[in-house]
Amino acid sequence: MTEFPLDSFLRSERERIEDALARSVDGLVPELHEALREPVRHGVLAGGKRLRPILCVEAFRAVGGDPPEAAYDLGVSLELIHAYSLMHDDLPCMDDAPLRRGRPTVHRLHGELRTTLAGAALIPAAGRQAWRAATALGCDDGCAAGIVRELMVAAGAGGMVGGQVLDLVGEGEELDAASLDELHRLKTGALLRACLTIGGMAADASPGEGRALDEYGRAIGLAFQIADDVLDETSSAEELGKAPSDADLGKSTYVALHGLDGARARAVAEVERALDALDRGGIRSEALRALARYVVERES
Ligand code: GRG
């Protein structure tokens, strides 16, 4: 069997996603006060791997076939939440990060107040984006509402924000393995998982397909965070385009808990779990298989 052409796949998918992001920002900007326009543009459009929309579109494709433009618009809703979370996470009251994706963070260029408000504006924008895209994909009101709910739950107190709280209160403490898993299941995993479930919901996945995408999403969510900790340990700030690392901030990491080899082995085990889930659910997607491996093999 020929190897999946991951590099060219990522390149072409990212192009379509950048177009969809630009469409979304162009739609949002006229509504925004002038003071928030550049912070929003910077936060949303200045780089990134675009993993979340790619996963959403691939979940859609795996179940529903060739994705129309609106599937990319749906993926953008997840990236808007991700963009806001990075803008807020980098603020002085959080990680106080000077760099993100190799560039100055949004607040370093536009100030804390504008960055906070611009990030906040992206949350309802993401909900509206998901609703519009789901409707354009032919979802009825019940399905579209389910998609928006899934997005908001993943982003909220029982998801990403909840994980961020655990992260903040755990600073300076040595978390045990179960607590670290729970923190990252929420902080990073919930949104990554939602990329898969939302893509599947929009494509009218069967219950079995939905379960497989859910399990795949949970597994790669965890694998992603473990890989992040490994990268933090093995790459320079220049290579990663950001600083400082979680370990430097007094946070528990998978590498501190399991060692470098132990953390790598755990990430690989999660990837295997993700691939098994696809097999069991009858989802034949070379792209999702390759993306699961990419999550742990990526260099940034
Ligand atoms: C409300 C003030 C306030 C803060 C909340 C919710 C929140 C801030 C932060 C969420 C925590 C967070 C930033 C999680 C994501 C962590 C993570 C792994 C980011 C990197 O993701 P990549 O590698 O980034 O996909 P790129 O740059 O490729 O998009």
Side-chain angles (χ1 to χ4, degrees):
M1 200 170 62
T2 53
E3 207 175 308
F4 184 78
L6 183 66
D7 288 346
S8 59
F9 163 80
L10 288 175
R11 221 177 5 258
S12 67
E13 287 308 292
R14 280 177 184 146
E15 263 176 39
R16 294 194 68 177
I17 287 157
E18 294 303 330
D19 288 348
L21 284 165
R23 268 198 303 281
S24 171
V25 169
D26 286 348
L28 179 61
V29 151
E31 286 178 14
L32 290 171
H33 188 283
E34 211 186 314
L36 301 188
R37 290 180 182 166
E38 283 314 306
V40 160
R41 284 194 186 284
H42 183 149
V44 176
L45 299 177
K49 294 182 288 299
R50 309 312 193 193
L51 180 61
R52 289 153 190 81
I54 292 176
L55 287 168
C56 178
V57 169
E58 287 319 306
F60 181 96
R61 192 196 309 267
V63 172
D66 220 11
E69 198 171 75
Y72 291 84
D73 295 332
L74 184 65
V76 162
S77 67
L78 292 137
E79 192 70 4
L80 293 181
I81 294 290
H82 174 59
Y84 120 75
S85 79
L86 299 182
M87 289 160 76
H88 281 194
D89 196 44
D90 289 338
L91 285 170
C93 65
M94 294 277 174
D95 283 357
D96 195 12
L99 275 182
R100 167 74 63 186
R101 298 161 171 166
R103 304 184 201 193
T105 44
V106 182
H107 68 272
R108 290 285 171 114
L109 292 180
H110 302 287
E112 284 178 51
L113 288 175
R114 288 176 188 214
T115 302
T116 305
L117 290 172
L122 292 178
I123 306 168
R128 195 170 56 174
Q129 173 88 18
W131 176 271
R132 283 192 184 144
T135 305
L137 286 166
C139 293
D140 62 21
D141 281 1
C143 169
I147 284 173
V148 175
R149 181 179 185 281
E150 187 82 356
L151 180 65
M152 291 299 128
V153 169
M160 185 175 69
V161 171
Q164 180 75 353
V165 175
L166 294 179
D167 203 13
L168 292 178
V169 300
E171 248 173 63
E173 276 180 38
E174 276 183 34
L175 299 183
D176 62 22
S179 306
L180 194 61
D181 277 3
E182 175 65 0
L183 189 166
H184 290 300
R185 183 182 70 75
L186 296 172
K187 181 179 154 185
T188 318
L191 195 64
L192 285 168
R193 172 188 160 272
C195 299
L196 281 300
T197 51
I198 285 174
M201 287 163 85
D204 199 18
S206 69
E209 289 168 333
R211 273 194 301 279
L213 290 171
D214 185 344
E215 203 180 320
Y216 169 97
R218 282 173 198 268
I220 65 153
L222 208 49
F224 180 92
Q225 184 58 50
I226 301 168
D228 228 50
D229 286 356
V230 169
L231 281 170
D232 256 2
E233 194 67 26
T234 56
S235 308
S236 66
E238 287 70 34
E239 284 166 321
L240 295 178
K242 63 176 186 179
S245 73
D246 278 356
D248 295 338
L249 293 166
K251 295 178 182 177
S252 300
T253 71
Y254 282 97
V255 174
L257 199 64
H258 302 294
L260 209 43
D261 288 345
R264 283 193 176 120
R266 174 84 197 281
V268 168
E270 292 300 330
V271 170
E272 288 305 318
R273 187 197 297 267
L275 300 182
D276 280 355
L278 294 182
D279 288 341
R280 272 184 283 111
I283 293 186
R284 274 182 281 282
S285 163
E286 284 311 310
L288 287 179
R289 298 183 78 82
L291 284 166
R293 288 188 284 268
Y294 166 73
V295 157
V296 298
E297 288 166 9
R298 68 201 161 94
E299 284 165 6
S300 70

